[in-house]
Amino acid sequence: MQKQFHKLSMVLGAMLTGALLTGVVTSLPSGLRSDAYADQQASARSAQQNLAKQNLSTAQDLSTAFRNVADAIRPSVVSISTARTMLVRGGGGMNELPPEFRRSLPPGFEDFFDFDRRRGNRGNSSPERRRMQTGMGSGVIVRADGYILTNNHVVANADEVTVELSDGTELTAEVVGTDPPTDLAVLKVDQDGLMPVAIGSSDNIQVGDWVLAIGSPFGLDQTVTAGIISGKNRVQGIVGNGNGYEDFLQTDAAINPGNSGGPLVNLRGELVGINTAIASRSGGNNGIGFAIPVSLAKPILSSIIETGKVQRGFLGAQVGDVNSATSEEFGLKVKQGALISSVLDDQPAAQAGLQPGDVVTDIDGKTIRSGTQLRNYVASRKPGSTINMTVNRNGNEVDISVKLGELNEDAIALFSDGGTLGVTVQPLTSDTAKRYGYDADEEGLLVTGVEDGSAAAEHGIQPGDIIKKANGEDVRSDKDLEKAAAAARQSGQSLRLTVRRENSLMMIPVPLD
């Protein structure tokens, strides 16, 4: 930045000098003007030449930085090839012939190539045969004893994984563990003395900072591309069918098929991200690439190496973003943060004192701007760890410490989703009944969330409602509701819900697709 200000000062100085010289020249006698003009031109040329030299020097400095980073990081980058055996039907039939050859055959001649067709059962009795499916990707060495970080989708379902080092050495790799919700995987090769990458900070990197992407696009090993960080905290809904943990760095460094799993590094040669996806209509680079930030990858890496699996913290609360709609609904006093929309009874959030309508603005000294950020942070902590929150509650700041549980199948089952109905429910307890103004002995399912645009939302179901019956049958669990919805869908009829709202009991028919 100082160099840029220096250059700008040089240019402005040259312009000012030219203006002053012009003034002087016009006041000179005519006999002296030509000499003064010549001096003025010489001075301007000299200023331009100096500026050009400085620009060239800056470009050369940047080129040297790129070269140094590329040289330093190459030993840590690997190419990954995978193989998978698949069983497919068909063998020697018409489909095995080239299309142009099939079109040239006379009518009926194809029967010589497909005996099943003559039996009126073409293709159904074709024998199974094995076909080898191959794939390629990239990875980065994270420990000298052979641990490698890459994308889950690079090695998913592979029977064989081979890693090629920068010196051409090929090694068989073991898949130590995978984590589909973040699209990360850890491999291990039987080799010591490898060159691990230096781990940087994706939190500190800023939009506009230079980065390099290194990998094997289209099988071209050790390809280096340069760009900048174009954006941060991108959520694209591409991991885990939209249910994964995303907080992508966006870059315009060229990323293409085969780059997946390779490193995104800063100009200090430090790992800041794992190249994962691109936004493209053609399948090639359009200048929009996404990398998993190292802040999200580090705890996954450590957990897989230590235990072979990923252990995640569990808060026991539903969270969302702060926006105009939620601000109006909950009367929020802040413009950003993670909104606690509901809290499960007897779970970590409730035990710590979190309440619906709280807005988490800070965790462990880290500013929280969205529900996604809070969700990712909680998931990155180990079960049993304690996180310290700053919460805005009705305009007042409250400090809360939460000891996290473990996100497992039992914890996930506490949150139930009514599928196409579009509601989130939980069994009503005496505590939640009292909290929402109902009698302690009230029974049913408490609606804790309603998806925008869902069938439930369109037909008037609201958070705080109690679903007592579905199709005339009592509902006490999410399974009861799902069973009733499935029966209604199968019969082509609306799901008839008996709902209590405050002191009113109503029947609400909800059509299901």
Side-chain angles (χ1 to χ4, degrees), residues 46-77:
S46 177
Q48 291 172 349
Q49 290 171 353
N50 288 336
L51 182 59
K53 289 179 180 179
Q54 290 178 1
N55 286 340
L56 180 59
S57 176
T58 300
Q60 288 174 336
D61 289 344
L62 185 59
S63 179
T64 299
F66 287 165
R67 184 169 61 249
N68 290 341
V69 171
D71 289 343
I73 199 68
R74 276 195 179 102
S76 302
V77 183

Side-chain angles (χ1 to χ4, degrees), residues 257-279:
N259 271 115
S260 290
L264 187 72
V265 298
N266 60 25
L267 290 193
R268 289 184 292 275
E270 298 169 336
L271 181 70
V272 295
I274 298 297
N275 301 319
T276 298
I278 57 176

Side-chain angles (χ1 to χ4, degrees), residues 482-497:
E482 291 170 2
K483 183 178 178 180
R489 194 179 299 110
Q490 186 174 8
S491 65
Q493 298 178 348
S494 295
L495 177 64
R496 294 176 290 109
L497 298 179

